[in-house]
Amino acid sequence: MSSKDIKELGWDELVPGACLFSFTEPVENVVDLTMDERPYAPTNSHEASVGDWRVEKPVYNRDLCIDCQFCWIFCPDISIISRDKKMIGIDYDHCKGCGICVEVCPTNPKSLLMFPEQTDNEEALASWPEKEKK
Amino acid sequence: MAEKMQLNEVEVWDGNMAAAQALRQAQIDVVAAYPITPSTPIVQNYSKFLADGYVDGEFIMVESEHGAMSGCVGAAAAGGRVATATSSQGFALMIEVLYQASGMRLPIVLTVVNRALAAPLNVNGDHSDMYLGRDAGWINLCSYNPQEAYDMTLMAFKIGEDLNVRLPVMVHQDGFLCSHTAQNVRPLQDEEAYGFIGEYKPVNSMLDVANPVTHGVQTEEDWHFEHKARQHNDLMNSVSTIKKVFAEFEKLTGRKYDLLHKYKMDDAEVAIVALGTTVESAEIAADRMREKGVKAGVLGIRVLRPFPFKEIQEALKNVKAIAAMDRSAPGGTFGMLFNEIGAAMLQSGKTPVLLNYIYGLGGRDTTIAHLTDIYEQLDRCAKSGKSEYPLQQFIGLRGPKLSFY
Ligand code: SF4
Ligand code: SF4
């Protein structure tokens, strides 16, 4: 597969069967590699932004998070970035804004909340709600 | 390694047994099947071979023909040699997945025992299912008798799996007329047959975990068109591989095949163009016409897709009147053969009389008498140089004559 954008390739350059390759080279130990370390091929969806039609985005508040990893497990788009079992942020190139992460976050107040796409993250964090009384 | 089966030099097999034996000899990794009349005995025989230790691969029972072809697509994408069999409604239910198989470039072999499509329900043969699937991007090989069903099924693997082709292949035979009629078949011995097809070479298989690959991707307007163009290009160019495999098979068995099956076409002035068992009946009718001094020939289509456009032009260039025989309900237009042969003749610059005969629907007999009648009509048109009959006529239909245009 050439390194050209797939949209630029002529019919005779495409891999028969519209196969897309994940990596540029064979990878035996993929589970031991973090996403940054994997040799993703240009045809891997990790390399393409697929979150550009999001309307609302999740904003993440480090101060409240207990690193339970619920959001990481439940996100259908693998868009929660986690390192050594610690939440470190959201991959906005792939997050579709479905809100599932917010739904499953168990802290009070939630450590993840949905905001309109155009809201600045700093602004969102400044307006974070207080702990809810039971 | 599966048990070898000792075969006689000449076996008495019907078309279904012939196809089943070819599948067994191909040492398929996965057969996923949902049997349907008249193709049932293919997978029935195959499962017996499996039970008796003559087959090593997996046989997957599924809940429908859609499931059968889906299982085949999955197994082929995983990297295995895969085949199944079907007919009629089952074929219709597979249609959606047939396009997946060809688009994903998976060399699955499908033996289709041709049968009418409902309604009304009918288990007997015509070519409605073949016509339904002809644009699905598969190579289509047509066999006219059990020997050819055996030969074509073996060759289907070698053609589809060729690295320049990598496309699925259908092998057609007529329901009951071929599938249930026992005839002498000269098989190859197991090693010889397997040696001819060769070991399966997976390409971009999903079970190659070190090289993960996505199959069946979404492309939208960005590169769907390019992808379909590539598929079409490779299907059109599969002709060279088909011819190469036919030639290798001839060397091995002495049985010669070509894109077209020509009978007394060299000097023919009138010709019947047909598919399936009717080709052999038409040969007898042609002989009878020749006794009466009519230069009659038969053109059988052996490879329906890719359509042998140039070869048809060449074969029919001196013919004055042609009968395009379509064994499928025309559904509001002329038959497929009429249209496609008409296009080929128009481009060749020749203007023979071309008539469309709709015949044999749902297993209705087509006799030598019907075929000689057709030759008589062609002969009259050839002599007068113009169409003396309606362009589309129904043959062997009860009630008042039905014709159009
Ligand atoms: S909003 Fe949905 S897609 Fe985005 S991070 Fe949360 S769960 Fe994942
Ligand atoms: S679900 Fe909430 S608390 Fe748990 S890791 Fe995610 S953000 Fe942190």
Side-chain angles (χ1 to χ4, degrees):
Chain A
M1 176 64 67
S2 119
S3 59
K4 262 201 266 178
D5 186 330
I6 200 155
K7 294 177 192 175
E8 305 301 316
L9 295 178
W11 66 268
D12 53 338
E13 297 171 285
L14 294 174
V15 176
C19 283
L20 295 184
F21 302 99
S22 304
F23 304 124
T24 51
E25 58 200 69
V27 182
E28 302 282 1
N29 57 338
V30 68
V31 287
D32 302 327
L33 300 175
T34 66
M35 284 170 137
D36 316 322
E37 294 163 335
R38 294 175 191 166
Y40 284 122
T43 49
N44 190 303
S45 58
H46 185 265
E47 297 301 289
S49 167
V50 288
D52 51 4
W53 38 266
R54 185 177 55 231
V55 185
E56 282 193 307
K57 65 180 177 186
V59 175
Y60 162 63
N61 192 331
R62 176 67 259 177
D63 296 342
L64 300 164
C65 173
I66 57 169
D67 291 315
C68 70
Q69 305 287 293
F70 282 10
C71 54
W72 182 79
I73 288 174
F74 279 94
C75 170
D77 286 297
I78 330 170
S79 300
I80 301 292
I81 311 170
S82 179
R83 287 288 174 274
D84 301 321
K85 299 189 179 154
K86 289 214 176 318
M87 256 292 282
I88 58 171
I90 291 150
D91 169 2
Y92 284 125
D93 285 338
H94 296 93
C95 163
K96 310 274 195 343
C98 67
I100 289 171
C101 52
V102 170
E103 207 55 46
V104 298
C105 182
T107 60
N108 183 2
K110 285 185 185 285
S111 316
L112 277 165
L113 281 174
M114 299 304 282
F115 287 88
E117 179 65 22
Q118 71 276 11
T119 311
D120 188 72
N121 277 18
E122 295 299 318
E123 236 177 84
L125 285 167
S127 65
W128 214 265
E130 294 294 313
K131 183 171 175 159
E132 266 180 54
K133 298 264 175 329
K134 287 270 156 81
Chain B
M1 194 61 197
E3 289 283 311
K4 262 183 251 157
M5 191 181 278
Q6 196 55 45
L7 299 174
N8 296 314
E9 196 186 327
V10 181
E11 293 279 352
V12 180
W13 287 345
D14 60 21
N16 278 332
M17 179 54 104
Q21 289 281 2
L23 297 188
R24 180 186 65 76
Q25 291 183 322
Q27 298 190 19
I28 300 163
D29 297 303
V30 175
V31 168
Y34 194 87
I36 179 168
T37 304
S39 66
T40 302
I42 296 181
V43 285
Q44 193 178 340
N45 293 330
Y46 188 82
S47 66
K48 185 161 185 346
F49 297 151
L50 183 96
D52 292 347
Y54 292 111
V55 168
D56 258 348
E58 298 287 327
F59 183 83
I60 310 177
M61 283 173 270
V62 286
E63 88 302 345
S64 72
E65 286 85 352
H66 191 276
M69 190 41 69
S70 300
C72 289
V73 164
R81 176 174 282 162
V82 173
T84 187
T86 198
S87 297
S88 183
Q89 306 305 119
F91 182 92
L93 191 51
M94 279 184 183
I95 279 281
E96 189 236 353
V97 198
L98 296 180
Y99 281 76
Q100 306 282 355
S102 59
M104 289 165 71
R105 305 295 296 270
L106 304 171
I108 297 164
V109 170
L110 173 63
T111 53
V112 189
V113 179
N114 298 122
R115 171 188 141 184
L117 286 175
L121 192 62
N122 186 323
V123 298
N124 285 289
D126 70 28
H127 294 155
S128 300
D129 47 10
M130 181 200 292
Y131 280 30
L132 177 65
R134 68 187 198 267
D135 294 340
W138 289 52
I139 291 171
N140 279 247
L141 307 177
C142 304
S143 42
Y144 312 148
N145 58 44
Q147 178 73 62
E148 294 179 0
Y150 172 79
D151 294 350
M152 289 297 142
T153 308
L154 283 183
M155 286 191 277
F157 288 98
K158 200 170 170 66
I159 292 166
E161 291 171 11
D162 188 284
L163 292 177
N164 295 318
V165 179
R166 300 306 287 195
L167 282 165
V169 185
M170 281 178 217
V171 180
H172 298 277
Q173 57 170 291
D174 278 358
F176 292 102
L177 295 177
C178 178
S179 68
H180 286 62
T181 305
Q183 292 188 1
N184 285 356
V185 174
R186 291 177 176 273
L188 295 169
Q189 291 302 325
D190 288 2
E191 307 90 335
E192 216 177 1
Y194 188 72
F196 170 73
I197 301 173
E199 215 160 290
Y200 186 67
K201 294 180 217 69
V203 173
N204 298 330
S205 72
M206 288 179 41
L207 286 185
D208 179 1
V209 287
N211 293 290
V213 56
T214 305
H215 278 261
V217 296
Q218 191 166 356
T219 63
E220 303 307 339
E221 75 277 31
D222 291 332
W223 49 289
H224 182 91
F225 194 9
E226 284 69 26
H227 168 60
K228 283 293 167 194
R230 165 141 216 169
Q231 191 187 329
H232 182 63
N233 176 71
D234 295 356
L235 181 52
M236 293 298 263
N237 289 332
S238 66
V239 166
S240 56
T241 302
I242 295 170
K243 285 186 166 169
K244 188 183 82 190
V245 172
F246 281 175
E248 283 170 33
F249 192 77
E250 186 190 353
K251 231 168 126 196
L252 183 66
T253 64
R255 294 194 286 273
K256 186 176 168 62
Y257 292 105
D258 206 345
L259 304 180
L260 298 172
H261 167 86
K262 293 178 210 155
Y263 185 77
K264 304 200 170 164
M265 284 301 294
D266 285 345
D267 63 341
E269 290 182 350
V270 293
I272 281 180
V273 185
L275 290 157
T277 44
T278 307
V279 172
E280 294 190 338
S281 311
E283 288 179 5
I284 299 169
D287 286 344
R288 295 207 181 154
M289 294 309 290
R290 286 212 171 234
E291 281 163 21
K292 292 191 213 163
V294 177
K295 288 184 176 160
V298 184
L299 188 62
I301 310 290
R302 174 75 66 200
V303 180
L304 182 64
R305 289 291 183 273
F307 192 68
F309 193 82
K310 285 261 171 240
E311 290 76 7
I312 285 174
Q313 286 181 336
E314 179 59 30
L316 295 174
K317 68 172 191 264
N318 295 322
V319 175
K320 294 180 182 144
I322 304 164
M325 304 282 294
D326 282 291
R327 193 172 191 181
S328 167
T333 181
F334 288 94
M336 180 254 312
L337 273 186
F338 177 85
N339 283 330
E340 298 198 357
I341 286 169
M345 295 325 291
L346 181 70
Q347 298 307 319
S348 73
K350 309 273 175 181
T351 47
V353 175
L354 178 62
L355 299 175
N356 188 204
Y357 295 92
I358 305 298
Y359 76 103
L361 301 191
R364 176 61 49 84
D365 255 357
T366 303
T367 63
I368 308 297
H370 289 132
L371 292 158
T372 44
D373 279 353
I374 290 170
Y375 275 127
E376 305 268 356
Q377 291 194 356
L378 293 179
D379 186 42
R380 196 171 148 213
C381 297
K383 289 203 171 98
S384 72
K386 62 183 197 309
S387 177
E388 302 277 355
Y389 300 91
L391 285 187
Q392 186 175 60
Q393 300 177 62
F394 284 63
I395 303 303
L397 179 69
R398 283 196 304 273
K401 272 201 169 133
L402 187 60
S403 64
F404 296 94
Y405 296 98

